[in-house]
Amino acid sequence: MSSRSGSTRDYESSGQSRDHSASPPVPESSDTETEGLIFYHMDLYGSKDRFDIFPEELSGRGDRSLGDTRRESALSSKKVQRPQEVGYDLEKEVAELAKMYGLDEDREKDLEFLGGHLEKLGSRQPPAHTEKAGSQGSIYNTSSSSSVKDPSQSTKQQGLPDEASQGENQSKATADDEAESNVWSRGGLSSGGMSDEWNSQALSEEEEEEEEEAADVFCSTCKIPIRAFDKLFGEHKDHEVAQFPSAVKSEKEEIHKNMCKLEEQIAQMENVASHLEEIFITVEENFGRQEQNFEVHYNDAVQVLAQKYEEQLEALGEEKRQKLEALYEQLVSCGKHLDTCKELTDETQELFLENDKAEFMKAAVTMVDRLEEFLKKEVDLELSTLPDFEERVIDVSEVEQLMNSINAIPAPCAPVINPQAPNAATGTSLRVCWGLFSDDTVECYQLCYKPVSNERHSDEQAEHTLKVKETYCTITDLLPNTQYEFWVSALNASGISPPSERAVYVTAPSPPTIKNKKIRSCENAALVCWESRDINPVDSYTVELSKLTDEENDDIITESIVGIPNCEVLIHLQPTQKYHVCVRAQNLGGSSERSEPVLIHTTGTCFYLNEDTAHPLLAILDDGFTISCDELENPECDLPVYDNSFTRCIAILGSLIPFPGKHYWEVEVEEDTEYRTGVAFENTPRHGHLGANNSSWCMRHIITPSRHKYEFLHSGMTPDIRITIPPRRIGILLDYENCRLSFFNADLAQHLYTFNSHFQHYVHPCFALETPGILRIHTGITTPPWTALP
């Protein structure tokens, strides 16, 4: 559905596209945007009914003239100003529009958009339109007064009283009519209709004005800016829309989020690029080292081969020499033997030539002996050595070993173990880190540790060994708040490195234990005590407070008090609140786990009974705030007595109240029970009675044959006070600042007595039974308003 601008220009341009002899012009679309005008759904009326919704001067004629057009323009101008007239009901008009278009269900949702848009547009003056000359001019004028060409209408609007002014206006209007007629005639306008040139010009101006209409909302479904009118009657009717500020803010947030993601990706890519650069450098360095290593091993192999060659050549030469010497010796021997044979042969031949037989016989006998002797000698006719040389094989195993060692890596250097990092430990685990500040190749690390002992035979402590791939390791199953000694070695295929220097790590402490029965509190403070579960001392403690603002929703606001050196702390709190209190212990290794939480109320003063001060015959019941005594036959009994216990008076002290200000608690007693209750210093004598010395103040109740007697004792002195109604519930108000200790009958809100005494130290509540009975103590009570004394 198309939208059109809500001005008289739209109305007239749509009319010019039809035959002027037809009915008055009406909008072509039902989705016309309202901008100071009243619009009707044209499909609801027939051709006759259309005349009824316009003024009579617009519907009275079938043929339209130039004067009719001007009157139409004037009336349309008046319609533009209608939202500013008195008595115009904008909401009613919006309701009618919504009903016409079936928007009753969405009326409440869309009323805000349409109403705000109409108010904004209604407050504007209709834009003035200047007539253009020539074929490019426009016959429409949307101004309020200058567009009215009817003299009577102009006179009526401007209120001119005299005829001269009226005539002048008429003349001016006539001149304007003639000029406009010329414009119309030049444009080819006839009584039957408008030429195609003027029609296209009017439509182009209409479309141009629609395009110039500013979008004022953003369609979240289509992701484009639109006009508020399109949300009500256009194609964006069922879409989700948003105001520009919120849409801009949302888009800025989305862009910012995407920019953050993009920055993260850029940072990651930069890290990857940096890592790749480091890898490139490492590859170059490794190549250089491998090349150098290869060259060294190659030179060593060549040197070994040369040495082997020289050795084998020298051995071969020695074998040659030995062969030649052996052959030469054999040759010399053969030569000598041959010479002897030749000599004997010659002599034998000469002997055969001798003619003298006697001489022949002499010589023959000698020659026979010589020949026999010579022939008896063995002559070695075999070669003493063979001419062939034995095949010699060069042993290259050493060379192979050298060649194989080219890719071998040396054993790594000793790693460097890091000191303990803050918060790198828990009560049972430690995170140990180290580094290897060399280029050695490491396959894994061997981590060793053992607990540190101050004993002489600390070396006998069991050592533990772990093998890890990374340069860190988390060791578990350790003892809390204990020191451990660590050292590490690096391993590869060539061997293991020397161990690193030893480093001492310490585990975090165990969670402390809060002493519930030693917690004291008042309306604005609390004293919390705890104890450490470790043998070794800790550095400090941290107290964590969780204020329970809403128990149903468990809304917790946490506060922390750090650096507490001792096992107790005085905490300032807010009145009438509930707190969960936990404690952590800290040392060099880190923080312990939280202790079990303790609930503290700040509705009133809370304290506990100190069992160490109780008389042996006095019993404390399970609730911790009720004391009883069953027998009094032998007050000075032989039961075991603590050093701080009362020995004569069957009494007990409560815990110290170390808070300034006012403190209130109550004591509930039976009417026939004799008792004492009040306050006392820490050093009050344990072998005396409460109120009998200057370190205690108390109210005493005894029963005489005639009445109930009440005494208010301090240093053994009491005023003469008579109480007619025995109190069953006694309220005690301790006011440190005003130096007062007051007693009240809580059931009657009756003041009984007040001690005015300067308390040099903080005091303890005290209680005693003088007859068998029960005494109940109530703490944590808000100070009643009737306890205020004048």
Side-chain angles (χ1 to χ4, degrees):
M1 296 169 61
S2 61
S3 301
R4 299 195 178 274
S5 174
S7 64
T8 56
R9 182 179 303 171
D10 296 329
Y11 167 72
E12 292 184 0
S13 62
S14 62
Q16 296 297 337
S17 63
R18 298 183 177 90
D19 190 354
H20 285 276
S21 62
S23 59
V26 294
E28 294 181 356
S29 172
S30 61
D31 294 338
T32 306
E33 178 183 348
T34 176
E35 193 173 29
L37 292 177
I38 304 172
F39 296 93
Y40 297 89
H41 198 294
M42 296 296 105
D43 297 337
L44 300 178
Y45 302 91
S47 59
K48 181 179 180 181
D49 296 332
R50 294 178 183 176
F51 290 94
D52 298 337
I53 63 174
F54 293 97
E56 294 181 358
E57 45 262 8
L58 295 180
S59 60
R61 301 178 184 178
D63 296 331
R64 300 183 59 190
S65 64
L66 183 61
D68 296 334
T69 305
R70 287 201 298 269
R71 283 193 294 272
E72 250 183 304
S73 176
L75 291 173
S76 300
S77 300
K78 293 176 67 177
K79 289 182 180 181
V80 173
Q81 297 179 350
R82 183 172 179 179
Q84 297 179 351
E85 294 176 1
V86 179
Y88 176 74
D89 192 351
L90 181 61
E91 294 185 0
K92 181 178 179 181
E93 202 68 39
V94 173
E96 291 179 1
L97 284 173
K99 184 175 181 181
M100 289 180 182
Y101 286 87
L103 301 177
D104 291 342
E105 296 179 356
D106 299 333
R107 181 189 173 195
E108 294 182 0
K109 181 172 67 175
D110 297 336
L111 185 59
E112 180 180 358
F113 288 99
L114 183 60
H117 189 58
L118 290 178
E119 289 180 1
K120 180 177 68 175
L121 297 178
S123 61
R124 300 175 184 173
Q125 290 291 338
H129 189 79
T130 306
E131 292 182 356
K132 298 179 182 179
S135 61
Q136 299 297 328
S138 174
I139 64 171
Y140 313 117
N141 194 319
T142 57
S143 62
S144 59
S145 59
S146 62
S147 63
V148 180
K149 303 304 179 181
D150 188 5
S152 61
Q153 182 70 19
S154 176
T155 305
K156 183 178 180 179
Q157 288 184 353
Q158 298 180 2
L160 297 177
D162 54 334
E163 296 179 356
S165 299
Q166 183 176 0
E168 186 179 27
N169 290 335
Q170 292 177 351
S171 300
K172 183 177 180 180
T174 304
D176 292 341
D177 291 343
E178 293 176 356
E180 186 171 339
S181 299
N182 293 332
V183 173
W184 279 73
S185 62
R186 286 195 300 269
L189 179 64
S190 64
S191 60
M194 180 186 292
S195 66
D196 294 338
E197 181 179 357
W198 283 99
N199 187 21
S200 60
Q201 180 179 351
L203 291 176
S204 63
E205 285 190 4
E206 179 182 356
E207 293 174 355
E208 180 181 359
E209 184 173 352
E210 289 179 359
E211 292 178 356
E212 294 176 356
E213 184 78 17
D216 48 8
V217 293
F218 182 78
C219 179
S220 302
T221 304
C222 301
K223 302 295 183 182
I224 57 172
I226 62 172
R227 298 175 300 171
F229 190 82
D230 294 337
K231 165 61 181 170
L232 294 178
F233 309 111
E235 59 184 1
H236 303 279
K237 174 181 177 182
D238 298 328
H239 296 178
E240 294 184 1
V241 298
Q243 296 295 332
F244 270 144
S246 60
V248 170
K249 182 178 179 182
S250 176
E251 291 299 325
K252 285 184 177 179
E253 291 177 354
E254 187 67 23
I255 293 174
H256 178 70
K257 185 188 300 182
N258 293 332
M259 287 296 295
C260 292
K261 293 181 180 179
L262 185 60
E263 291 176 356
E264 292 179 359
Q265 292 184 359
I266 292 174
Q268 293 176 358
M269 295 304 297
E270 289 178 349
N271 293 335
V272 171
S274 176
H275 183 64
L276 289 176
E277 291 178 359
E278 294 178 357
I279 295 298
F280 275 109
I281 296 173
T282 304
V283 169
E284 291 291 341
E285 293 177 352
N286 291 339
F287 171 77
R289 285 195 299 270
Q290 289 295 333
E291 183 182 15
Q292 183 179 4
N293 188 26
F294 180 79
E295 183 179 358
V296 170
H297 283 76
Y298 175 78
N299 293 333
D300 293 342
V302 170
Q303 185 177 358
V304 170
L305 287 174
Q307 184 179 355
K308 293 289 183 181
Y309 170 77
E310 294 293 337
E311 292 176 356
Q312 294 294 332
L313 187 61
E314 183 179 356
L316 186 62
E318 181 65 21
E319 184 179 0
K320 172 187 175 183
R321 185 186 63 78
Q322 292 177 358
K323 286 181 177 293
L324 292 177
E325 287 181 355
L327 292 173
Y328 179 74
E329 289 178 358
Q330 189 176 8
L331 180 62
V332 170
S333 177
C334 288
K336 290 180 179 181
H337 195 74
L338 182 62
D339 290 343
T340 303
C341 289
K342 288 180 177 181
E343 182 181 356
L344 290 176
T345 301
D346 292 340
E347 289 180 358
T348 303
Q349 289 177 356
E350 290 178 357
L351 181 61
F352 279 104
L353 295 177
E354 183 66 39
N355 294 323
D356 187 2
K357 296 181 178 179
E359 291 295 332
F360 175 78
M361 289 302 295
K362 289 182 181 179
V365 172
T366 305
M367 182 60 65
V368 170
D369 293 337
R370 289 180 61 185
L371 289 174
E372 289 180 355
E373 185 179 358
F374 178 77
L375 293 174
K376 288 181 179 179
K377 293 181 180 180
E378 293 182 1
V379 179
D380 187 8
L381 300 178
E382 294 181 0
L383 294 176
S384 62
T385 181
L386 297 176
D388 297 332
F389 288 85
E390 64 179 12
E391 185 177 355
R392 293 183 177 273
V393 180
I394 299 177
D395 184 11
V396 294
S397 60
E398 186 176 356
V399 178
E400 291 178 355
Q401 184 177 0
L402 288 173
M403 297 302 295
N404 292 333
S405 65
I406 291 177
N407 294 326
I409 54 177
C413 300
V416 178
I417 195 165
N418 299 338
Q420 184 173 3
N423 300 321
T426 65
T428 58
S429 66
L430 282 170
R431 181 181 174 87
V432 184
C433 301
W434 58 88
L436 187 68
F437 297 97
S438 67
D439 297 328
D440 298 333
T441 302
V442 177
E443 295 180 0
C444 65
Y445 295 93
Q446 179 176 286
L447 179 64
C448 303
Y449 67 96
K450 67 177 182 178
V452 176
S453 176
N454 295 326
E455 299 178 0
R456 295 181 180 179
H457 303 287
S458 59
D459 295 338
E460 298 179 0
Q461 294 284 346
E463 294 184 2
H464 303 272
T465 303
L466 298 174
K467 284 191 176 182
V468 293
K469 293 287 186 180
E470 297 81 9
T471 57
Y472 60 88
C473 181
T474 300
I475 299 92
T476 58
D477 298 331
L478 302 179
L479 299 176
N481 201 22
T482 304
Q483 292 182 340
Y484 287 87
E485 196 174 34
F486 291 89
W487 64 96
V488 64
S489 301
L491 293 86
N492 61 14
S494 299
I496 185 171
S497 73
S500 66
E501 296 291 334
R502 302 198 174 193
V504 176
Y505 281 54
V506 60
T507 53
S510 301
T513 302
I514 299 178
K515 300 178 180 179
N516 292 343
K517 293 187 177 181
K518 290 191 176 182
I519 293 179
R520 286 149 283 176
S521 63
C522 62
E523 293 182 355
N524 53 15
L527 181 65
V528 182
C529 303
W530 61 87
E531 61 182 0
S532 175
R533 294 164 50 186
D534 298 318
I535 299 176
N536 298 324
V538 299
D539 296 339
S540 63
Y541 297 93
T542 298
V543 174
E544 297 179 352
L545 304 177
S546 300
K547 183 168 66 172
L548 306 181
T549 56
D550 189 350
E551 287 186 310
E552 295 181 358
N553 298 328
D554 197 22
D555 186 11
I556 299 178
I557 303 174
T558 303
E559 302 175 3
S560 298
I561 304 173
V562 300
I564 302 172
N566 303 319
C567 291
E568 66 176 28
V569 65
L570 182 63
I571 309 170
H572 295 283
L573 305 174
Q574 298 178 2
T576 65
Q577 298 292 336
K578 295 180 180 180
Y579 292 87
H580 269 151
V581 179
C582 300
V583 182
R584 296 179 186 265
Q586 278 85 26
N587 64 4
L588 180 63
S591 175
S592 70
E593 298 294 329
R594 299 174 64 179
S595 66
E596 291 295 328
V598 175
L599 183 62
I600 294 180
H601 298 263
T602 56
T603 53
T605 301
C606 292
F607 57 84
Y608 293 89
L609 298 178
N610 190 351
E611 297 181 5
D612 295 341
T613 63
H615 189 276
L617 295 178
L618 197 65
I620 303 176
L621 302 186
D622 294 338
D623 61 359
F625 292 96
T626 302
I627 61 176
S628 66
C629 180
D630 297 332
E631 57 178 349
L632 296 176
E633 289 83 1
N634 185 14
E636 298 181 2
C637 60
D638 296 331
L639 295 175
V641 178
Y642 298 102
D643 295 337
N644 199 29
S645 300
F646 284 93
T647 57
R648 187 174 182 182
C649 180
I650 306 175
I652 187 173
L653 294 180
S655 52
L656 186 70
I657 302 179
F659 314 110
K662 295 181 179 181
H663 305 279
Y664 179 82
W665 65 93
E666 294 181 353
V667 178
E668 184 180 354
V669 294
E670 298 293 336
E671 186 176 352
D672 56 350
T673 302
E674 296 184 359
Y675 58 88
R676 299 184 188 217
T677 182
V679 297
F681 288 138
E682 173 66 30
N683 60 355
T684 188
R686 302 296 193 264
H687 58 276
H689 288 88
L690 297 176
N693 48 59
N694 60 358
S695 60
S696 59
W697 298 258
C698 70
M699 170 184 174
R700 182 190 183 193
H701 171 237
I702 56 176
I703 301 175
T704 63
S706 59
R707 63 186 178 90
H708 292 270
K709 183 178 181 181
Y710 293 90
E711 298 177 343
F712 296 91
L713 299 169
H714 177 61
S715 299
M717 305 294 293
T718 180
D720 185 11
I721 296 177
R722 293 182 178 271
I723 299 175
T724 57
I725 301 177
R728 300 287 299 272
R729 195 178 181 97
I730 304 167
I732 302 174
L733 177 65
L734 172 64
D735 189 350
Y736 279 122
E737 296 178 356
N738 295 317
C739 305
R740 292 179 178 177
L741 177 65
S742 302
F743 296 87
F744 302 87
N745 186 339
D747 294 330
L748 302 178
Q750 177 187 11
H751 173 250
L752 302 178
Y753 183 74
T754 296
F755 289 101
N756 292 295
S757 178
H758 178 69
F759 300 105
Q760 299 178 352
H761 308 285
Y762 290 121
V763 297
H764 296 255
C766 57
F767 312 92
L769 289 172
E770 297 188 351
T771 59
I774 293 178
L775 186 145
R776 294 182 177 86
I777 304 162
H778 300 275
T779 63
I781 303 173
T782 304
T783 304
W786 42 262
T787 58
L789 297 177

